[in-house]
């Protein structure tokens, strides 16, 4: 037990074993009165230990911070997926890594979905997302699970955790990988209109089977990055890693007109790299510019023979991709904008797919020897130049920073950043509220929890109507 406690204090990955409601949380500083709504966050929090299971496949736990009139309350709930319910009944884990069932699991149990990656609000529905399954609808107040949402049967299969909401049309644009079954090179693509109706859903072939975590949407184009964390059923059948780093496969990005068809996709080539997250992308005359967090080598996934990738290269940096659509070249340019290790980029979402002048991401402390723990936040301009930088006390970690605008018509970037911070020494978490254009000053308010929120993936703010 003592060993576990010590290991747990070095990072904030281990799950918490409870669900709670905490009204009237203690606040340090002053919570801005304009913040009226809920910050929803999602992340892996395995209900039961499953030896060898990847961090990515832990059961989703939702954390909701309700802010109103300078006060804050908190609620957390596991998503009641079919896997969670079956394991809850069994009192033990029934799945191992990436949908693989444990040998003694019931034969009729096939759905290993964990709904653990993102939570978005679109067309009146709160949806917990995980890229290998359909969205799971969540009741916004109680966080109760309503079940899979398939858009009146018009959407099927995998559905990305990173769909994009077009700020002009209100349309939700999405894709799925492994669209023809596990470890296949098929992608799906579709859109949901602002009223929640599926208007398009189709499938096409990518150059090879890979893990496609995020994609790129601009006003008129959609881009599909196929990067070499490859998927292989042959490897999986041999007991080798189903997903592995294979840089020789190269980097492809498929560019399609949103009004066009998959058969007209133009594939651009680039240097092998991996990208989990896109900050934003936009059109500039005959070019598409995409700002991404690019890894030289994949983190968290090994070479096909199980060797780990180089930790010095397995860190992400803010990087600009440029696509020339005038037909001069089939190569895209990749230019690092900063040398700082960072992840979880966000913008003022009112500029999604349009040129942005502000961006934020979580960063590592460059004075610490370790690349893994994100322990600060960076504010950048529209070209990646740092405008502000805040580092937490050594050892503490920070989540993805979520931007909330001051009001509907506030200027771009005028508002707050909300991030969950783990206080290593106290082993509990705060919700930190920063002035988005002055992160350097540190949080203007801290909402204090008595427990810790494990380092998770993504979240979004849903303002009160
Ligand atoms: Fe993600």
């Amino acid at each position: 037990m003592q060993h576990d406690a010590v290991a747990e204090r070095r990072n904030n990955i281990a799950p918490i074993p409870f669900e709670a409601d905490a009204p009237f949380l203690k606040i340090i500083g002053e919570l801005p009165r304009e913040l009226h709504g809920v910050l929803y966050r999602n992340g892996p929090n395995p209900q039961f230990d499953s030896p060898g299971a990847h961090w990515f496949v832990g059961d989703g736990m939702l954390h909701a911070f309700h802010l109103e009139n300078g006060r804050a309350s908190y609620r957390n709930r596991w998503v009641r997926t079919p896997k969670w319910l079956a394991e809850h009944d069994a009192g033990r884990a029934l799945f191992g890594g990436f949908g693989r069932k444990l040998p003694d699991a019931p034969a009729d149990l096939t759905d290993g979905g964990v709904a653990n990656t993102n939570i978005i609000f679109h067309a009146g529905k709160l949806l917990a997302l995980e890229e290998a399954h359909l969205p799971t609808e969540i009741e916004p107040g109680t966080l109760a699970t309503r079940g899979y949402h398939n858009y009146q049967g018009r959407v099927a299969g995998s559905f990305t955790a990173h769909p994009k909401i077009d700020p002009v049309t209100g349309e939700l644009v999405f894709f799925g990988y492994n669209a023809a079954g596990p470890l296949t090179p098929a992608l799906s693509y579709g859109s949901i209109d602002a009223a929640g109706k599926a208007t398009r859903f189709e499938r096409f072939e990518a150059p090879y089977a890979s893990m496609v975590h995020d994609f790129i949407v601009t006003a008129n184009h959609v881009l599909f990055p196929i990067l070499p964390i490859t998927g292989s059923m042959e490897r999986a059948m041999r007991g080798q890693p189903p997903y592995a780093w294979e840089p020789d496969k190269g980097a492809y990005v498929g560019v399609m007109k949103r009004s066009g068809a998959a058969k007209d996709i133009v594939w651009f080539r680039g240097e092998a790299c991996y990208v989990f997250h896109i900050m934003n992308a936009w059109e500039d005359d005959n070019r598409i510019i995409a700002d991404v967090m690019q890894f030289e080598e994949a983190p968290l996934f090994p070479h096909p023979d199980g060797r780990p990738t180089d930790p010095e290269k397995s860190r992400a940096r803010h990087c600009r991709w440029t696509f020339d659509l005038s037909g001069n070249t089939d190569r895209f340019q990749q230019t690092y904008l900063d040398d700082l290790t960072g992840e979880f980029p966000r913008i003022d979402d009112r500029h999604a797919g349009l040129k942005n002048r502000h961006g934020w991401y979580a960063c590592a402390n460059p004075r610490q020897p370790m690349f893994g723990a994100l322990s600060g936040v960076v504010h950048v301009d529209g070209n990646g130049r740092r405008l502000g930088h805040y580092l937490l006390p050594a050892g503490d970690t920070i989540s993805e920073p979520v931007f909330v605008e001051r009001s509907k018509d506030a200027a771009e970037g005028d508002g707050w950043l909300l991030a969950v911070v783990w206080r290593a020494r106290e082993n509990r978490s705060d919700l930190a509220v920063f002035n988005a254009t002055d992160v350097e000053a540190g949080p203007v308010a801290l909402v204090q929890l008595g427990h810790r929120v494990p380092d998770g993936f993504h979240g979004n703010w849903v303002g009160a109507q």
Side-chain angles (χ1 to χ4, degrees):
M1 282 312 287
Q2 196 182 359
H3 173 80
D4 286 345
V6 170
E8 188 177 291
R9 291 295 291 270
R10 255 184 263 129
N11 65 39
N12 183 31
I13 301 295
I16 55 173
F18 57 85
E19 298 179 321
D21 296 289
F24 305 117
L25 294 168
K26 184 173 171 189
I27 296 165
I28 309 292
E30 191 158 352
L31 209 48
R33 299 282 159 156
E34 296 94 329
L35 284 173
H36 183 192
V38 182
L39 175 72
Y40 294 97
R41 290 196 46 79
N42 198 351
N45 195 94
Q47 183 181 202
F48 297 105
D49 249 357
S50 179
H54 197 281
W55 179 43
F56 284 9
V57 299
D59 303 292
M61 180 178 270
L62 305 173
H63 304 266
F65 294 85
H66 180 121
L67 310 183
E68 182 175 0
N69 263 326
R71 286 177 157 182
S73 63
Y74 164 90
R75 168 170 288 163
N76 71 314
R77 293 290 185 274
W78 269 292
V79 183
R80 266 61 173 171
T81 58
K83 170 187 181 290
W84 190 96
L85 291 167
E87 293 187 339
H88 194 71
D89 283 351
R92 62 193 161 88
L94 300 172
F95 283 88
F98 295 107
R100 182 177 53 82
K101 277 200 298 182
L102 296 178
D104 55 348
D108 61 344
L109 179 65
T110 54
D111 183 346
V114 288
N116 70 0
T117 312
N118 201 353
I119 179 155
I120 65 161
F121 190 76
H122 180 254
K125 291 195 188 310
L126 186 65
L127 302 168
L129 303 177
E130 171 255 291
E131 65 202 32
H133 297 80
L134 284 170
T136 299
E137 190 182 350
I138 302 296
E139 203 285 316
T142 62
L143 301 184
T145 300
R146 288 179 173 161
Y148 284 126
H149 184 57
N150 65 8
Y151 297 95
Q152 294 77 48
R154 300 187 64 167
V155 174
S158 51
F159 189 107
T160 178
H162 290 288
K164 310 296 177 208
I165 298 175
D166 185 315
V168 177
T169 64
E171 188 182 12
L172 181 98
V173 182
F174 69 93
F175 76 100
Y177 70 99
N178 289 338
L183 308 171
T184 58
L187 296 191
S188 63
Y189 169 68
S191 56
I192 311 294
D193 70 16
K197 184 164 171 278
T199 51
R200 180 169 177 173
F201 186 66
E202 63 193 278
R203 294 196 176 96
F204 62 93
E205 289 287 303
Y208 57 83
S210 73
M211 175 174 280
V212 189
H213 185 69
D214 198 352
F215 76 143
I216 297 167
V217 177
T218 63
N220 300 294
H221 292 85
V222 54
L223 288 76
F224 304 98
I226 305 300
L227 307 172
I229 293 183
T230 61
S232 165
M233 189 55 86
E234 291 80 51
R235 270 200 313 262
M237 300 294 277
R238 288 196 301 263
Q240 292 174 323
Y243 288 102
W245 172 241
E246 283 193 283
D248 292 350
K249 297 265 192 185
Y252 291 78
V253 178
V255 180
M256 184 176 93
K257 279 217 164 71
R258 277 170 66 181
S259 61
K263 65 176 171 43
D264 301 321
I265 291 176
V266 175
W267 291 98
F268 284 74
R269 303 289 309 270
E271 294 299 315
C273 65
Y274 196 75
V275 167
F276 283 108
H277 298 120
I278 314 298
M279 177 180 276
N280 192 30
W282 62 93
E283 291 158 16
D284 177 26
D285 291 331
N286 250 338
R287 300 186 309 163
I288 293 173
I289 315 289
D291 286 355
V292 307
M293 304 308 288
Q294 178 174 294
F295 294 79
E296 257 183 90
E297 291 195 0
L300 302 166
F301 291 88
H303 291 279
D305 61 8
R307 269 181 311 125
T309 56
D310 180 351
E312 292 288 324
K313 294 180 176 173
S314 305
R315 64 185 188 100
R317 288 177 283 160
H318 198 193
C319 183
R320 175 159 291 181
W321 288 357
T322 305
F323 301 83
D324 178 354
L325 304 186
S326 56
N328 297 322
T329 174
D330 69 347
R331 304 287 298 183
F332 66 97
Q333 301 299 313
Q334 297 154 283
T335 309
Y336 284 108
L337 301 177
D338 203 322
D339 191 44
L340 193 62
T341 300
E343 249 295 359
F344 297 123
R346 294 297 297 255
I347 59 162
D348 179 334
D349 287 330
R350 296 173 298 172
H351 286 255
L354 308 168
K355 171 69 185 151
N356 60 289
R357 286 176 183 78
H358 296 271
W360 298 267
Y361 56 88
C363 69
N365 185 335
R367 292 190 295 272
Q368 300 271 104
M370 187 176 68
F371 288 128
L374 295 170
S375 57
V377 64
V378 189
H379 175 206
V380 292
D381 70 9
N383 292 308
R385 191 174 60 91
R386 282 186 228 169
L387 298 174
H389 189 202
Y390 175 79
L391 294 176
L392 295 167
D396 292 2
T397 63
I398 196 164
S399 74
E400 170 194 61
V402 174
F403 176 80
V404 183
E405 68 266 21
R406 188 177 304 274
S407 63
K408 283 218 170 352
D409 52 3
E412 181 189 352
D414 180 17
W416 298 276
L417 276 192
L418 272 48
V420 178
V421 168
W422 176 56
R423 304 304 188 182
R425 269 170 297 278
E426 300 166 63
N427 197 26
R428 52 160 211 90
S429 296
D430 289 331
L431 172 65
V433 179
F434 296 85
N435 179 343
T437 53
D438 188 12
V439 298
E440 202 118 356
V444 296
L446 293 170
V447 176
Q448 296 196 312
L449 287 178
H451 66 280
R452 65 186 180 84
V453 174
D455 292 350
F457 294 137
H458 303 285
N460 283 291
W461 173 257
V462 180
Q465 291 310 310

